[in-house]
Amino acid sequence: MGAPGRVLLGLQLCALTRAAYKFWVPNTDFDAAANWSQNRTPCAGAAVEFPADKTVSVLVREGHSVSDMLLPLDGEFVLASGAGFSALDTGSHLDCSTGGPALFRDPDRFCWHDPRLWRSGDAAHGLFSVDAERVPCSHDDVVFPSDASFRVGLGPGAGTVRVRSVRALGQTFTRDEDLAAFLASRAGRLRFHGPGALSVGPEACADQSGCVCGHAEAQPWICAALLQPLGGRCPQAACRDPLRPEGQCCDLCGAIVSLTHGPAFDLQRYRARLLHAFLALPQYQGLQMAVSKVPRQPRLREASGAKADTEIQVVLVETGPETGGAGRLARALLADIAEHGEALGVLSATARESGAPVGGGSAAGLNAPGPRAGLAGALAAALLLLLLALLAGALLLRRAGRLRWRRRDEADPAPAGAPLGFHNPVFYAADPAEALPAPQPDVGSFSRSYFVNPLFGEAEAEA
């Protein structure tokens, strides 16, 4: 009986200390079209130029025929099996006889702090990460491709980058001494550059409620790298009163649920519950969700009286044309916490929603008119049609002689002794109950009022 208990304890410890993996995406391969100025690899007989003042390692996977090649001052070609270069006259290939040489793009354009250049190892359908957490956090394991060449910029100005471990060129570095020796070697200098520093530490996240990413100081550099293609400015959100979650660079449309928790809360278990019990439902298929532990803003701590300096942030955004799903899911999560919060280890929860969509934008999938706007338009159209029908009926009756109106001075004199009043079919009936029909039950979201029409002698409904 003792052995199974030890195995179970070991599994629990592994679960508590499991770190996330972040994979570096871009490469500096010769055969990757994205690395060339015209987004295509050099054709046979082309002239090839590398930036003369750059340092780069380039993996070559295939054989290539070139007419001329300008090499960088410092660099290396890593030749795969069967790869190589041969000389060929450009005149024998018409496709390469015109235009300038094929230019290898700047290998220093890839920055560690750019969220677009990383891929999470635990990605799942419907899940995403806020911008700051797309870059490796302090408890993450970082993996660089073993089957591709790469180059990474570690700056400028972002200070020391700290992660749990780094794997590169078939080696895993968990100690600063080993990593520093690699970075100082020729292989390390070809792949890492810039004034920033890279450090590793053996600590994994041992808190089952999750750990803060640790990018508060680096977030300005993360956002600058992310928004550089947009001129450093965020696109305008397509809704009123947009939200900006902790760790996100720009405003978005959707909802945010913030949780305070006790010691029994398990972040991975709660994320799995949201993914399978809520996000998998058909009515929430157009939503994406991010769940993580973030620093709790001081003003929120003061307003709520909570002593905790962290909270669980659940971000809900809409990716499809339908709107309102994020708000509905946020309210469903609050209801679920009200019923099961104690079992989940959740102490309290609050929710915020962005406003109605505006214009025709689709930054967060909010590009369709809301249901209220459609209902209001339908009611207005129905009321206009009813008024036109009444007016047309009155004109037809007047032409047929069944309805007349004259000025007061043209009216026939009343007979002597006749009462000065008149019989109003709207306000008078033999039985008062006949003049006020019983209210009808509501159908859908429409309300109706009823009256007796003196022209047609039957109950009419006015929308």
Side-chain angles (χ1 to χ4, degrees), residues 372-432:
R372 294 184 178 180
L375 178 60
L379 290 176
L383 182 59
L384 179 61
L385 290 176
L386 178 62
L387 293 176
L388 291 176
L390 291 175
L391 180 60
L395 292 176
L396 290 175
L397 290 174
R398 181 174 182 271
R399 289 186 177 183
R402 297 179 60 184
L403 181 65
R404 300 177 182 177
W405 57 80
R406 290 179 294 179
R407 294 181 304 184
R408 180 183 296 272
D409 54 0
E410 296 178 356
D412 295 333
L420 297 179
F422 65 97
H423 184 84
N424 191 330
V426 176
F427 299 102
Y428 177 84
D431 185 356

Side-chain angles (χ1 to χ4, degrees), residues 33-56:
N35 289 328
W36 296 94
S37 57
Q38 297 180 350
N39 285 321
R40 66 179 184 182
T41 57
C43 58
V48 175
E49 289 188 11
F50 287 85
D53 57 343
K54 300 296 182 181
T55 300
V56 62

Side-chain angles (χ1 to χ4, degrees), residues 14 95 130 151 213 233 248 250 281 286 292 331 336 424 438:
C14 289
D95 291 342
V130 293
R151 186 162 173 82
C213 182
R233 302 182 62 181
Q248 190 74 5
C250 299
L281 299 178
S292 61
R331 292 187 288 272
D336 180 64
N424 191 330

Side-chain angles (χ1 to χ4, degrees), residues 24-364:
W24 180 255
V25 175
N27 61 65
T28 55
D29 290 2
F30 189 97
D31 301 277
N35 289 328
W36 296 94
S37 57
Q38 297 180 350
N39 285 321
R40 66 179 184 182
T41 57
C43 58
V48 175
E49 289 188 11
F50 287 85
D53 57 343
K54 300 296 182 181
T55 300
V56 62
S57 173
V58 179
L59 173 64
V60 184
R61 301 177 183 273
E62 301 176 359
H64 296 274
S65 299
V66 297
S67 62
D68 190 15
M69 181 180 293
L70 179 63
L71 299 177
L73 294 179
D74 190 9
E76 68 177 11
F77 285 127
V78 180
L79 301 180
S81 177
F85 295 98
S86 61
L88 186 67
D89 184 7
T90 184
S92 60
H93 289 266
L94 297 180
D95 291 342
C96 295
S97 60
T98 59
L103 303 177
F104 195 83
R105 298 181 64 188
D106 183 2
D108 292 349
R109 68 187 185 277
F110 302 123
C111 174
W112 176 288
H113 293 93
D114 191 339
R116 300 168 299 171
L117 306 183
W118 295 96
R119 176 178 60 85
S120 177
D122 57 358
H125 178 71
L127 294 180
F128 77 101
S129 298
V130 293
D131 295 327
E133 296 173 11
R134 294 163 62 187
V135 177
C137 300
S138 58
H139 299 90
D140 290 345
D141 293 311
V142 175
V143 180
F144 290 95
S146 58
D147 59 346
S149 54
F150 62 90
R151 186 162 173 82
V152 187
L154 296 175
T160 300
V161 174
R162 186 170 183 83
V163 294
R164 181 173 181 263
S165 69
V166 172
R167 181 170 181 80
L169 301 185
Q171 303 180 69
T172 300
F173 303 97
T174 58
R175 300 194 314 161
D176 276 336
E177 296 83 0
D178 298 334
L179 178 61
F182 168 73
L183 295 177
S185 67
R186 174 173 171 78
R189 294 195 308 271
L190 287 174
R191 290 161 178 84
F192 295 89
H193 69 98
L198 181 59
S199 175
V200 293
E203 314 89 18
C205 179
D207 188 346
Q208 69 176 6
S209 67
C211 295
V212 174
C213 182
H215 277 334
E217 296 182 359
Q219 183 163 340
W221 302 100
I222 293 173
C223 294
L226 178 66
L227 299 176
Q228 190 271 337
L230 301 177
R233 302 182 62 181
C234 288
Q236 185 175 3
C239 62
R240 296 182 176 89
D241 302 321
L243 306 173
R244 182 170 297 187
E246 186 72 24
Q248 190 74 5
C249 293
C250 299
D251 295 340
L252 53 78
C253 303
I256 301 175
V257 179
S258 301
L259 313 177
T260 59
H261 61 86
F265 180 79
D266 189 315
L267 179 62
Q268 293 186 19
R269 186 179 67 173
Y270 187 67
R271 183 187 289 117
R273 175 183 175 84
L274 299 186
L275 185 62
H276 299 294
F278 290 93
L279 214 59
L281 299 178
Q283 60 267 37
Y284 302 131
Q285 288 300 297
L287 299 180
Q288 285 192 334
M289 174 181 67
V291 186
S292 61
K293 178 182 281 189
V294 299
R296 188 174 176 86
Q297 298 180 7
R299 60 180 180 84
L300 296 179
R301 292 205 304 268
E302 296 172 0
S304 63
K307 297 181 180 180
D309 57 357
T310 61
E311 64 184 8
I312 304 301
Q313 177 179 259
V314 182
V315 184
L316 306 170
V317 296
E318 294 168 343
T319 59
E322 298 296 331
T323 63
R328 289 192 298 270
L329 179 53
R331 292 187 288 272
L333 296 185
L334 293 182
D336 180 64
I337 292 170
E339 183 176 358
H340 304 291
E342 183 176 358
L344 296 171
V346 178
L347 303 180
S348 64
T350 59
R352 293 179 289 155
E353 298 180 35
S354 60
V358 296
S362 57

